[in-house]
Amino acid sequence: MALINKIREKSGVAVTVIAISLILFMVGGDLLGPNSLLGGNDNQIVGEIAGKEINIKDFQSRVDGFRQNYEAQSGRSLNEGELASLRDQAWNQFVVDIAYKKQYDKLGLEVTDEELYDMVQGNHISPSILQAFSDPTTGRFDKNAVVNYLKNLKTLPLEQQKSWENFEKSLREERTRAKYENMLRLSTYTPKAQAEKEYVAQNTKANLRYLYVPYFSVVDTTIKVTDAQLEEYLSAHKKEYKGTDTRSIEYVTFPVQPAKDDSAALYNEIKELARGLATAQSDSAFAAMNTDIPTPINQSYATMSDQLKEAVKTFVPGGVYGPYREGNTYYIYKYGGTRSDSVSSAKASHILIRAENQSDSAKTAARVKAEGILAQIKAGANFEALAATSSADPGSAQRGGDLGYFQNNGAMVKPFEEAVFSASAPGLIPRLVESQFGFHIIKVTAPKSNTLYRIATIGKTIAPSQATRDEAYRRADEFANTVKSREQFEEAVKKNKALVLANANRIPESATNINAIQNAREIVRWAFKEDTKPSTVSPVFETEEQYVVAVLTGKSDAKDVKVDDFRDELTTKVRNQIKAEQISAKLKGATGSLEDIAKKYGAGALVESASDISLATGFLTSAGFDPIALGKAFGLKAGQKSGVFTGENGVFIMELVNKTDAPKIADFTQYKTQVTQSLESRMSYLVNEAIRENAKIEDRRAKFF
């Protein structure tokens, strides 16, 4: 203010100019931004639902309401990830208010004031009220607490009154949604013919022999796929390939890594801390005051880093050890010995086989598959390799099934936890373990232990100096200013051995991360700007502890699907079609036994058997679950061979050895219930998808946030 007063004394004109400049600086983003009125874009519509446009001001108002409630309850400000989640909640609320309400109104569904009263303080209390007004210690619900709260509501701050109003609104919406879904669920009907079909599929058994030539037996490089073939396939399967607005980029990163001077300064500091930790009267208090990374004083193997697991084996009570470096953090430890804990930890790996749905037939198919994999492992197959190729748990599958250390405190589902913690030695558990997630094949890699290690820990992270940051930015800026196209970009990376070229394909407009780059919204928004054309090089972006320079390599348009949008998928499909034609042509006209035909075909042809399988649970050894092959086989007569045909993953000739038809029964109630329950379990998801599709939702939030 003193500076502004001084300027005012010198020149009124100067004050006016500077004041205008300050105002434009402070609000320029709102007035002159890409989505502003003065910036040449009067489109303030954040989306459209069932023909109704959502204005950015209305949307932001709802987000602000959610934020106020959240911050009032949590007592802190939101981070960017939490704010993004609230925007999703606000958007979904608009979908309910507009798209769902249309359906409710057509059916005359509503929640009356009397019904709301009954939900809040009557005889049929809502689960949300039960949760909000239950004693956290005993878990008992106190209706009087609700009544007293409502009596005093008008004396509470306006924010709390507004929160209760929104809470009651959400109760009405939950109950209306439940009525709607229950109405549809109760309308689910399974005719007797469908129940009978399910019974026959589960209980008709067959013994099969088959010749199978998988697509992978033909080397990909021997098959040439042209763009014309891809275009023809895409044209014939347009409904299978829905377009989306995406962008593809290549990029390089310039990490802001601490320099040697930064590391040396911290190393000297932590050695001083080590001396203090050794003599401190309260090592836990000293560690808590000086660490950058809070760590519990008592640790189990389940909570230790890999480096500490090895180091602790050499620790002696009372000793100070370190520094140990993990990434950009130095650690020192003061060891205080061990004690037993009521909670145990163990380490295990698993292979998860999940049923396709909740029907008995699907569960049986999953069990058969899991038993087959377990048998392979018992016979000597590599557990890690099978986990990588067969497990339905993607997180652990890429680590060979490894789940790391965990405790017996409910971290894992009960059947899994009981199986692991009942094992007294490492090794394969010789039976399947079933949980709500599916069938688990488990290998215990470290049996249970309840030992706790008392370790006072100080961790100090190396922070790069400003000079280090400036140098990283200088290198990124120099790179960005010397390349003007994708070709120059890639050529510059080749010449600079310190740079690594990375790519990210089909990035959606709403993306917040790009590969391992967190908080990458600015890069995404740049890629989707109208003036960012393919081969455009970006400015320097700062994300976390690195600078990023990108080049746009491709676009996809939701309204104009091109081959390049799905090139890899289309190429695989067309290549397999060509392989199928080549394999079929080679097998066509072959006679004799399946072994004779396989011998004439040569390398790649497999002859296998399948015993006592059904249509519902049929699993072929090498081909897996192939409904086309099973359908062909069950349509044959005993001793009959099919012609050459294409299955899911290869070419077949099926032979039915014999078939035992399902016994005649009069009551199909059990199977009718199975089919009905399977449909009902998917009802909520299917209803949601149908309403959203019918509403023709256009979500343009990514252009604003």
Side-chain angles (χ1 to χ4, degrees), residues 156-280:
L156 297 175
L158 288 176
E159 284 187 4
Q160 290 190 33
Q161 294 183 43
K162 184 66 176 176
S163 293
W164 179 261
E165 182 183 329
N166 291 333
F167 182 55
E168 284 195 336
K169 182 182 177 183
S170 70
L171 292 179
R172 287 183 186 270
E173 290 167 351
E174 287 175 13
R175 178 59 62 87
T176 309
R177 173 79 174 264
K179 287 182 177 183
Y180 182 69
E181 291 186 359
N182 285 336
M183 182 181 291
L184 292 174
R185 187 177 293 109
L186 291 171
S187 69
T188 303
Y189 173 70
T190 302
K192 180 182 176 183
Q194 191 173 356
E196 187 175 356
K197 182 179 179 182
E198 179 67 18
Y199 166 73
V200 171
Q202 290 186 34
N203 293 281
T204 298
K205 304 293 184 178
N207 295 321
L208 313 173
R209 297 181 72 249
Y210 55 93
L211 181 146
Y212 172 56
V213 184
Y215 293 140
F216 64 75
S217 66
V218 179
V219 180
D220 286 352
T221 53
T222 64
I223 307 296
K224 303 301 180 185
V225 178
T226 66
D227 280 0
Q229 290 171 313
L230 297 178
E231 291 282 2
E232 182 181 355
Y233 187 92
L234 178 61
S235 178
H237 299 82
K238 280 185 177 179
K239 291 184 178 180
E240 299 173 26
Y241 297 93
K242 292 184 178 180
T244 53
D245 292 321
T246 67
R247 299 293 183 267
S248 297
I249 64 171
E250 291 179 341
Y251 62 91
V252 290
T253 60
F254 297 82
V256 183
Q257 295 178 334
K260 288 184 178 179
D261 291 344
D262 304 327
S263 179
L266 182 67
Y267 187 80
N268 291 331
E269 179 188 352
I270 204 163
K271 284 199 297 184
E272 283 294 322
L273 289 171
R275 284 191 281 270
L277 182 62
T279 59

Side-chain angles (χ1 to χ4, degrees), residues 469-533:
R469 292 180 178 279
D470 291 344
E471 173 58 21
Y473 179 82
R474 185 197 64 76
R475 291 187 290 109
D477 188 53
E478 181 181 26
F479 178 88
N481 287 322
T482 55
V483 294
K484 303 300 180 186
S485 66
R486 180 180 180 180
E487 290 73 20
Q488 292 180 10
F489 190 100
E490 293 174 347
E491 188 61 33
V493 173
K494 287 180 182 177
K495 291 179 180 178
N496 189 338
K497 301 298 183 184
L499 297 177
V500 177
L501 185 67
N503 64 75
N505 296 321
R506 298 180 64 78
I507 304 167
E509 193 171 8
S510 60
T512 56
N513 303 329
I514 297 176
N515 293 341
I517 302 175
Q518 305 293 310
N519 300 322
R521 281 299 299 156
E522 288 304 311
I523 303 175
V524 176
R525 294 183 71 175
W526 163 81
F528 277 88
K529 286 174 61 177
E530 289 187 10
D531 58 352
T532 303
K533 309 296 182 185

Side-chain angles (χ1 to χ4, degrees), residues 449-661:
S449 168
N450 66 341
T451 301
L452 277 182
Y453 298 79
R454 190 184 191 283
I455 304 174
T457 306
I458 295 178
K460 301 295 288 185
T461 301
I462 308 168
S465 64
Q466 189 57 49
T468 301
R469 292 180 178 279
D470 291 344
E471 173 58 21
Y473 179 82
R474 185 197 64 76
R475 291 187 290 109
D477 188 53
E478 181 181 26
F479 178 88
N481 287 322
T482 55
V483 294
K484 303 300 180 186
S485 66
R486 180 180 180 180
E487 290 73 20
Q488 292 180 10
F489 190 100
E490 293 174 347
E491 188 61 33
V493 173
K494 287 180 182 177
K495 291 179 180 178
N496 189 338
K497 301 298 183 184
L499 297 177
V500 177
L501 185 67
N503 64 75
N505 296 321
R506 298 180 64 78
I507 304 167
E509 193 171 8
S510 60
T512 56
N513 303 329
I514 297 176
N515 293 341
I517 302 175
Q518 305 293 310
N519 300 322
R521 281 299 299 156
E522 288 304 311
I523 303 175
V524 176
R525 294 183 71 175
W526 163 81
F528 277 88
K529 286 174 61 177
E530 289 187 10
D531 58 352
T532 303
K533 309 296 182 185
S535 201
T536 300
V537 178
S538 77
V540 178
F541 294 105
E542 183 177 4
T543 64
E544 302 298 332
E545 293 299 312
Q546 62 187 350
Y547 295 102
V548 180
V549 181
V551 59
L552 191 70
T553 57
K555 295 183 176 184
S556 71
D557 188 334
K559 298 177 182 178
D560 183 20
V561 180
K562 295 183 173 63
V563 164
D564 281 339
D565 299 344
F566 299 96
R567 180 171 289 276
D568 290 344
E569 296 171 51
L570 294 171
T571 300
T572 298
K573 293 285 188 182
V574 173
R575 184 188 292 127
N576 284 344
Q577 278 190 346
I578 297 172
K579 288 182 179 181
E581 292 169 0
Q582 291 183 358
I583 295 169
S584 298
K586 196 171 178 181
L587 289 171
K588 193 173 182 180
T591 57
S593 67
L594 294 179
E595 287 78 8
D596 291 338
I597 298 172
K599 188 174 181 180
K600 291 174 185 175
Y601 179 88
L606 307 172
V607 176
E608 297 178 337
S609 300
S611 302
D612 201 32
I613 67 171
S614 68
L615 273 172
T617 61
F619 188 79
L620 306 177
T621 305
S622 297
F625 183 69
D626 194 312
I628 298 174
L630 290 174
K632 288 277 189 181
F634 274 78
L636 298 171
K637 295 179 181 179
Q640 185 180 13
K641 285 200 296 283
S642 73
V644 178
F645 67 91
T646 301
E648 294 282 345
N649 297 300
V651 177
F652 289 87
I653 299 176
M654 303 296 297
E655 180 180 352
L656 180 65
V657 178
N658 56 61
K659 181 172 67 175
T660 304
D661 291 331

Side-chain angles (χ1 to χ4, degrees), residues 6 40 64 130 328 338 391 442 479 510 619:
K6 192 171 182 179
D64 290 341
L130 289 173
N328 286 334
T338 63
S391 181
I442 304 172
F479 178 88
S510 60
F619 188 79

Side-chain angles (χ1 to χ4, degrees), residues 385-401:
L386 285 171
T389 57
S390 304
S391 181
D393 177 5
S396 65
Q398 57 187 320
R399 300 188 301 271

